[in-house]
Amino acid sequence: MSALEPITLPPTSDGWTAWLEERGRGSLRTAADVIAALKVAPSGDEALLQVWNDASVALANAFAATSLMSSVHPDPAVVALAEAIEVEARRFSSDLFLDRDVFDQLSSVPQDPLDDGAHRMLADALRSFRRSGVDLDEETRARLRGLNERETELGQAFSRNIREGRREALVPAAALEGLPADYVQAHPSDEQGRVRISTEYPDVHPFLTHSRDASARRAVAMEFFNLAWPENDVVLGDLLRLRDEKARLLGYPDWPDFDAEVKMIGSGAAIAKFVDHVSADAEAAGRRDLAVLEARGAAEAIDRIDLSSWRYCFEAVKREQYGVDGQEVRRYFDFSRVHQGLLDVTGRLFGLEYERVDVPTWHEEVTSYDVLLAGPGGSSGRIGRIHLDLHPRTGKYNHAAQFDLAPGVLDRQLPEGVLVCNFNRGLMEHHEVVTLFHEFGHLMHHVLAGRHEWVRFSGVATEWDFVEAPSQMLEEWAWDAAVLQLFAHDGDGNPIPTELVDRMRAADEFGKGFLARTQMFYAAVSYRLHLEVPDDITGRLFELYPEYSLVAPLEGTHFHAGFGHLEGYTSAYYTYMWSLVIAKDLFSAFDPDDLLDPAVAQRYRDTVLAPGGSRDAADLVAEFLGRPYSTEAFSAWLNR
Ligand SMILES: [Zn+2]
């Protein structure tokens, strides 16, 4: 067992600029020096792989420190410095993978004598170089460089048009009936008794969910589903053509095949198959849900479930038929109890101990723990350190995510991970508890997979479309009455009633078939547009709606122009559902009546989490389940 020391962070109030200079720019300098040495080292020598790993460790450290600090540090000067270094690190990295000399050196290493780990690491690195086009002729590489720059510009324009494309609908003030008091207050009416509803999420979603005025909802939906149109119709067309050209220059038949090559799903054709499979699987359940929504709509003369009415009917059914009172639920989720409960539950499951350490971090609300592997004869030592930064503050990253402080490397550096969330300090909503378990799943993955020789395999280094599966699975624990009753106690110490948890689950599960079809529509749009590169995007969209979605589209809308995920996910929006399918499959190995059984959990820890990226996710899952992954468990869940 290694006795690696954790990183010493500066005192909370001081010394962060110097620390970041060292950890960020210093690491980039190290990486540059190592790469320079690699280029002049003797070719064909296996030792080149260690040199490459050294550079990769330094680069990973620079990325970890800068991406974390730009998201959490309270001092804007530190944030600005972190962002600047992050840009430098990105440039370094993209230049590196187009560097023919480095590629030639790595290619010179004979692969046959290598052990499995080194072989996999090298193959992966060479593939990354090839996917950048390093081995193509100079003219093609110049074209690719141009396309990459243009792709970044178009991607930024696409996101910017959505961000800045705010539209408004003017609706009668009476349409606010059904909305919460603070929402009504924030929307004063003009002289003609009208209010403005913008297309921003906090404005549009509550309105479409709660407003009882069907024609006002329609007016708002018409604006919302025309967000960034027509500007983004043009931008998206350019982006689709560009990605198609790039994929072809790199030797792939189309963009989805290029993108899927490094993912668990493997190919574009497999995406099509998956989307159609889930869609068919959700047909019966989705139609049942639709009938419930239609019946509810009919009570108010809503004649079809479309983009302007589905949220409203969905919410009405949940409220009227599943009545779960959020206030009643919150009483059981006191933050500090939940926090301790999470550590107790995951410690017991994964055979870990968490030792609180009093060390400086970037903010006094952060709590830090050493993670120890518990053994039969007591703990066998520290395997990582975690920092929990769980409450909101001004300027902090405003979603929930796991960040790295450092990737673990065998006998070299300890894995350190950070949870960045924005939870209530007092009583939590149940969805916050679910999020906490989800994000903690990523953190466990980071720590447990932190003992590989090759940093490329360290932590959450698995295929992109598998990454969410372990976290989606861990959410199940936050829905289990016996687990929750360990820590979800009200002010008088009464545990949350099983009956209440059952009702919460039922409410949560209503509409899963219907929603799965909506997800498959998004996935089909993301895949089909990239595959087909249609001239008339809107026309293609209106063909895809009836094929996948159970929501009727509104004539005259252009959903794709505001579908921001087309930028980051490109053709891979299927991943959310894909990892959910895998999560349900993994979960099928656990005993639903005893989720605290450590035997299964620890086998899962060792076969799925600890290997990190050192093997294909499909192989890890197959080893854990004793068979290849399948969609059966998901299908059973969808149709139960
Ligand atoms: Zn996640």
Side-chain angles (χ1 to χ4, degrees):
M1 184 59 53
S2 56
L4 298 170
E5 286 304 309
I7 294 171
T8 305
L9 294 170
T12 303
S13 58
D14 197 26
W16 283 89
T17 304
W19 183 82
L20 204 51
E21 279 290 349
E22 181 49 39
R23 192 84 191 164
R25 288 213 171 96
S27 296
L28 287 183
R29 271 194 306 276
T30 304
D33 291 346
V34 173
I35 290 297
L38 183 144
K39 290 191 195 185
V40 296
S43 297
D45 186 349
E46 196 180 322
L48 286 169
L49 299 189
Q50 293 296 344
V51 183
W52 171 251
N53 193 44
D54 291 347
S56 303
V57 171
L59 193 55
N61 286 345
F63 271 121
T66 53
S67 139
L68 174 64
M69 287 309 149
S70 66
S71 305
V72 298
H73 206 282
D75 181 351
V78 175
V79 171
L81 178 63
E83 284 172 349
I85 303 174
E86 201 177 357
V87 171
E88 291 165 30
R90 279 190 203 295
R91 195 174 307 132
F92 181 90
S93 175
S94 60
D95 287 348
L96 178 60
F97 282 97
L98 279 169
D99 191 323
R100 184 73 205 227
D101 296 340
V102 179
F103 176 71
D104 287 343
Q105 280 289 66
L106 291 178
S107 304
S108 75
V109 177
Q111 302 204 10
D112 285 348
L114 301 178
D115 67 29
D116 287 353
H119 191 272
R120 180 179 172 86
M121 194 285 290
L122 178 58
D124 179 87
L126 293 177
R127 187 173 68 175
S128 297
F129 275 93
R130 275 192 215 99
R131 287 173 58 84
S132 300
V134 73
D135 57 345
L136 301 174
D137 62 70
E138 185 44 51
E139 195 189 335
T140 311
R141 287 164 62 192
R143 177 74 186 152
L144 278 169
R145 253 191 294 269
L147 289 178
N148 286 341
E149 269 166 40
R150 184 78 185 124
E151 188 183 10
T152 306
E153 284 166 15
L154 286 170
Q156 285 170 345
F158 190 75
S159 302
R160 188 172 50 242
N161 288 338
I162 293 171
R163 226 170 34 237
E164 297 175 356
R166 176 191 163 101
R167 300 166 76 111
E168 285 182 344
L170 269 176
V171 302
L176 294 179
E177 202 187 317
L179 283 135
D182 53 347
Y183 187 96
V184 176
Q185 228 163 33
H187 294 82
S189 57
D190 63 12
E191 303 90 72
Q192 283 108 3
R194 297 171 310 180
V195 294
R196 291 172 183 280
I197 306 299
S198 82
T199 50
E200 280 164 26
Y201 280 18
D203 240 20
V204 73
H205 283 152
F207 192 87
L208 292 178
T209 307
H210 297 292
S211 171
R212 295 184 192 135
D213 183 331
S215 74
R217 280 199 314 263
R218 196 180 163 86
V220 170
M222 285 302 292
E223 295 303 323
F224 184 59
F225 292 104
N226 273 310
L227 191 60
W229 190 81
E231 312 85 87
N232 267 355
D233 196 54
V234 180
V235 177
L236 182 60
D238 288 347
L239 203 48
L240 295 174
R241 280 186 291 276
L242 181 150
R243 285 175 178 156
D244 188 60
E245 182 187 348
K246 190 171 143 180
R248 289 170 193 276
L249 285 177
L250 289 165
Y252 298 79
D254 50 60
W255 176 269
D257 256 343
F258 167 71
D259 187 67
E261 183 194 34
V262 288
K263 296 191 166 73
M264 187 176 177
I265 205 160
S267 72
I271 299 176
K273 197 169 151 225
F274 175 71
V275 168
D276 287 347
H277 177 83
V278 171
S279 199
D281 209 10
E283 171 74 11
R287 295 273 166 205
R288 261 198 313 277
D289 296 335
L290 180 63
V292 173
L293 295 173
E294 283 172 341
R296 178 57 185 82
E300 290 183 43
I302 293 170
D303 58 5
R304 63 174 198 167
I305 297 303
D306 65 19
L307 289 173
S308 72
S309 61
W310 81 263
R311 283 176 190 276
Y312 176 78
C313 294
F314 204 91
E315 173 68 15
V317 167
K318 278 209 171 190
R319 189 179 55 239
E320 293 158 9
Q321 301 182 18
Y322 294 88
V324 175
D325 178 355
Q327 297 302 325
E328 183 196 354
V329 173
R330 279 182 78 208
R331 294 195 300 121
Y332 295 98
F333 295 110
D334 168 66
F335 173 80
S336 53
R337 279 190 154 284
V338 173
H339 182 167
Q340 190 54 49
L342 168 80
L343 298 179
D344 292 346
V345 168
T346 55
R348 185 158 149 188
L349 272 178
F350 297 123
L352 302 172
E353 287 168 17
Y354 303 98
E355 235 172 57
R356 178 78 189 259
V357 288
D358 187 17
V359 293
T361 64
W362 52 95
H363 194 271
E364 60 268 12
E365 263 190 323
V366 177
T367 53
S368 305
Y369 297 83
D370 278 343
V371 182
L372 296 91
L373 205 53
S379 152
S380 57
R382 178 166 63 195
I383 59 164
R385 178 171 283 184
I386 57 174
H387 308 274
L388 309 180
D389 184 352
L390 300 180
H391 303 300
R393 61 176 176 269
T394 312
K396 181 178 148 177
Y397 176 81
N398 61 5
H399 299 283
Q402 181 259 325
F403 286 76
D404 298 352
L405 177 57
V409 185
L410 185 69
D411 295 332
R412 218 168 139 167
Q413 62 181 34
L414 201 64
E416 293 198 51
V418 183
L419 272 204
V420 183
C421 302
N422 288 276
F423 299 134
N424 281 308
R425 289 177 176 81
L427 296 177
M428 298 171 80
E429 309 272 350
H430 179 254
H431 71 82
E432 294 181 311
V433 179
V434 175
T435 301
L436 180 60
F437 272 76
H438 176 104
E439 298 303 337
F440 203 80
H442 293 308
L443 193 61
M444 287 297 85
H445 202 173
H446 178 72
V447 169
L448 290 167
R451 286 180 291 175
H452 292 280
E453 175 185 12
W454 309 108
V455 69
R456 174 63 187 81
F457 303 147
S458 174
V460 191
T462 174
E463 291 101 311
W464 202 59
D465 50 356
F466 176 69
V467 166
E468 292 300 324
S471 284
Q472 283 174 324
M473 190 190 77
L474 202 57
E475 289 181 18
E476 301 277 355
W477 275 255
W479 285 103
D480 183 80
V483 170
L484 291 175
Q485 282 158 358
L486 296 173
F487 58 86
H489 299 174
D490 68 8
D492 300 326
N494 303 306
I496 190 166
T498 303
E499 170 276 327
L500 176 57
V501 178
D502 288 346
R503 269 193 293 133
M504 286 157 58
R505 279 203 84 116
D508 184 61
E509 293 203 355
F510 167 70
K512 58 195 170 186
F514 178 84
L515 295 174
R517 289 293 292 261
T518 306
Q519 285 290 323
M520 289 306 95
F521 168 69
Y522 297 154
V525 167
S526 135
Y527 167 70
R528 293 268 159 212
L529 294 186
H530 280 90
L531 176 73
E532 299 164 6
V533 197
D535 289 327
D536 177 6
I537 301 178
T538 304
R540 189 65 183 113
L541 217 64
F542 275 77
E543 290 168 0
L544 292 172
Y545 269 117
E547 228 180 293
Y548 296 98
S549 178
L550 296 173
V551 181
L554 292 173
E555 209 54 54
T557 56
H558 303 84
F559 160 74
H560 59 284
F563 187 25
H565 288 311
L566 291 176
E567 203 268 298
Y569 279 83
T570 75
S571 50
Y573 189 80
Y574 74 87
T575 51
Y576 171 82
M577 194 61 82
W578 174 264
S579 53
L580 186 63
V581 167
I582 305 293
K584 294 291 179 197
D585 203 15
L586 290 171
F587 187 60
S588 69
F590 290 82
D591 176 0
D593 294 324
D594 183 13
L595 289 191
L596 291 165
D597 176 6
V600 192
Q602 288 173 28
R603 198 164 58 74
Y604 169 75
R605 172 193 75 188
D606 297 336
T607 52
V608 177
L609 297 180
S614 66
R615 294 175 62 196
D616 290 351
D619 294 342
L620 303 179
V621 173
E623 179 164 344
F624 173 62
L625 294 175
R627 57 163 172 80
Y629 64 83
S630 94
T631 57
E632 265 171 53
F634 174 79
S635 180
W637 168 78
L638 198 59
N639 290 295
R640 83 176 166 211

PDB file of all heavy atoms in Angstrom, residues 438-439 442 468 471, ligand 1:
ATOM      1  N   HIS A 438     -26.161  10.765  -6.696  1.00  0.00           N
ATOM      2  CA  HIS A 438     -25.678  10.675  -8.078  1.00  0.00           C
ATOM      3  C   HIS A 438     -24.237  11.196  -8.191  1.00  0.00           C
ATOM      4  O   HIS A 438     -23.346  10.504  -8.678  1.00  0.00           O
ATOM      5  CB  HIS A 438     -26.607  11.472  -8.995  1.00  0.00           C
ATOM      6  CG  HIS A 438     -26.149  11.532 -10.414  1.00  0.00           C
ATOM      7  ND1 HIS A 438     -26.716  10.787 -11.417  1.00  0.00           N
ATOM      8  CD2 HIS A 438     -25.150  12.251 -11.009  1.00  0.00           C
ATOM      9  CE1 HIS A 438     -26.098  11.033 -12.554  1.00  0.00           C
ATOM     10  NE2 HIS A 438     -25.142  11.925 -12.347  1.00  0.00           N
ATOM     11  N   GLU A 439     -24.033  12.415  -7.726  1.00  0.00           N
ATOM     12  CA  GLU A 439     -22.708  13.022  -7.870  1.00  0.00           C
ATOM     13  C   GLU A 439     -21.664  12.275  -7.029  1.00  0.00           C
ATOM     14  O   GLU A 439     -20.498  12.157  -7.420  1.00  0.00           O
ATOM     15  CB  GLU A 439     -22.739  14.503  -7.484  1.00  0.00           C
ATOM     16  CG  GLU A 439     -23.659  15.357  -8.363  1.00  0.00           C
ATOM     17  CD  GLU A 439     -23.314  15.293  -9.847  1.00  0.00           C
ATOM     18  OE1 GLU A 439     -22.166  14.977 -10.193  1.00  0.00           O
ATOM     19  OE2 GLU A 439     -24.221  15.544 -10.664  1.00  0.00           O
ATOM     20  N   HIS A 442     -19.983   9.552  -8.923  1.00  0.00           N
ATOM     21  CA  HIS A 442     -18.821   9.963  -9.729  1.00  0.00           C
ATOM     22  C   HIS A 442     -17.578  10.092  -8.857  1.00  0.00           C
ATOM     23  O   HIS A 442     -16.474   9.726  -9.244  1.00  0.00           O
ATOM     24  CB  HIS A 442     -19.082  11.317 -10.404  1.00  0.00           C
ATOM     25  CG  HIS A 442     -20.148  11.297 -11.452  1.00  0.00           C
ATOM     26  ND1 HIS A 442     -20.159  10.397 -12.498  1.00  0.00           N
ATOM     27  CD2 HIS A 442     -21.247  12.075 -11.634  1.00  0.00           C
ATOM     28  CE1 HIS A 442     -21.218  10.625 -13.277  1.00  0.00           C
ATOM     29  NE2 HIS A 442     -21.896  11.638 -12.767  1.00  0.00           N
ATOM     30  N   GLU A 468     -22.134   7.957 -16.901  1.00  0.00           N
ATOM     31  CA  GLU A 468     -23.272   8.264 -16.039  1.00  0.00           C
ATOM     32  C   GLU A 468     -23.904   7.029 -15.405  1.00  0.00           C
ATOM     33  O   GLU A 468     -24.658   7.151 -14.443  1.00  0.00           O
ATOM     34  CB  GLU A 468     -24.336   9.049 -16.808  1.00  0.00           C
ATOM     35  CG  GLU A 468     -23.906  10.453 -17.208  1.00  0.00           C
ATOM     36  CD  GLU A 468     -23.540  11.329 -16.011  1.00  0.00           C
ATOM     37  OE1 GLU A 468     -24.181  11.195 -14.952  1.00  0.00           O
ATOM     38  OE2 GLU A 468     -22.600  12.136 -16.139  1.00  0.00           O
ATOM     39  N   SER A 471     -23.469   6.392 -11.616  1.00  0.00           N
ATOM     40  CA  SER A 471     -24.141   7.418 -10.824  1.00  0.00           C
ATOM     41  C   SER A 471     -25.655   7.290 -10.909  1.00  0.00           C
ATOM     42  O   SER A 471     -26.365   7.470  -9.926  1.00  0.00           O
ATOM     43  CB  SER A 471     -23.715   8.806 -11.293  1.00  0.00           C
ATOM     44  OG  SER A 471     -22.425   9.077 -10.818  1.00  0.00           O
TER      45      SER A 471
HETATM   46 ZN    ZN B   1     -23.591  12.658 -13.569  1.00  0.00          ZN
END
